[in-house]
Amino acid sequence: MQRAAVEVARQEAAKASGAVSPSVDLVAQVGRERLSGHGDFGAAGNAAGNRMIGMQFTLPLYTGGMRGAREQEAVPGIARAQAQSDQARQQVAQQTRAAWLGLTVGAGRVDALALLQAGAAPLQRWRPSGHTLWSPVPELAARPLRMSCARSSAASTA
């Protein structure tokens, strides 16, 4: 859809540049007239037909700056349509990445929850009765808290 908008903008620019240019056209015309009626002296009728084929040359003498103005107006239209096309393509790519990330993170969370539930059952037996730990995730309350610190050699020498 966006590609079509860019193509339309390009065609509009081409049309604007050729709108007031000199042109040679082939023209044709066909016509027929019929007239009939009744009068005091009887019935009367008349029929006439004409055909014309020719070439027509048009040369604008003065456009008043219209050609330049239309061209200047059409060029930013192409850039605007191209920018909208790029923006739409980037949005689709971003939404696709977000959906894929959600899928992979969701699968990882399901696996982590399964491991937590499998590992939490043995710990429930060893916890003293009445002892509760607070955790925003109930499965984490049953697990011991492990913290580790890593030092780099550059940090210890400073």
Side-chain angles (χ1 to χ4, degrees):
M1 185 72 166
Q2 297 296 329
R3 290 181 187 168
V6 172
E7 186 59 32
V8 166
R10 286 189 180 133
Q11 289 178 0
E12 286 293 324
K15 183 175 82 172
S17 68
V20 290
S21 298
S23 65
V24 176
D25 300 314
L26 179 65
V27 292
Q29 182 179 9
V30 176
R32 182 173 179 170
E33 294 182 19
R34 285 183 34 179
L35 179 65
S36 64
H38 298 282
D40 290 340
F41 301 105
N46 187 11
N50 63 1
R51 294 171 197 88
M52 178 189 70
I53 295 178
M55 293 184 68
Q56 178 179 353
F57 176 73
T58 305
L59 176 66
L61 297 176
Y62 179 69
T63 62
M66 181 176 67
R67 180 179 183 173
R70 284 189 180 171
E71 286 177 353
Q72 287 177 354
E73 182 181 345
V75 170
I78 296 171
R80 181 174 46 252
Q82 186 68 41
Q84 289 173 347
S85 174
D86 291 344
Q87 180 183 12
R89 187 173 44 250
Q90 288 173 357
Q91 284 177 347
V92 167
Q94 182 181 10
Q95 290 169 354
T96 304
R97 280 191 301 271
W100 179 252
L101 183 62
L103 246 157
T104 56
V105 168
R109 285 183 177 181
V110 168
D111 292 343
L113 182 60
L115 288 174
L116 263 174
Q117 289 174 344
L123 292 175
Q124 291 290 335
R125 290 181 297 181
W126 298 103
R127 191 165 57 180
S129 63
H131 185 266
T132 59
L133 296 173
W134 181 86
S135 173
V137 180
E139 293 83 13
L140 294 178
R143 307 262 324 177
L145 182 62
R146 293 184 184 149
M147 297 178 73
S148 63
C149 269
R151 265 190 208 182
S152 68
S153 60
S156 61
T157 60

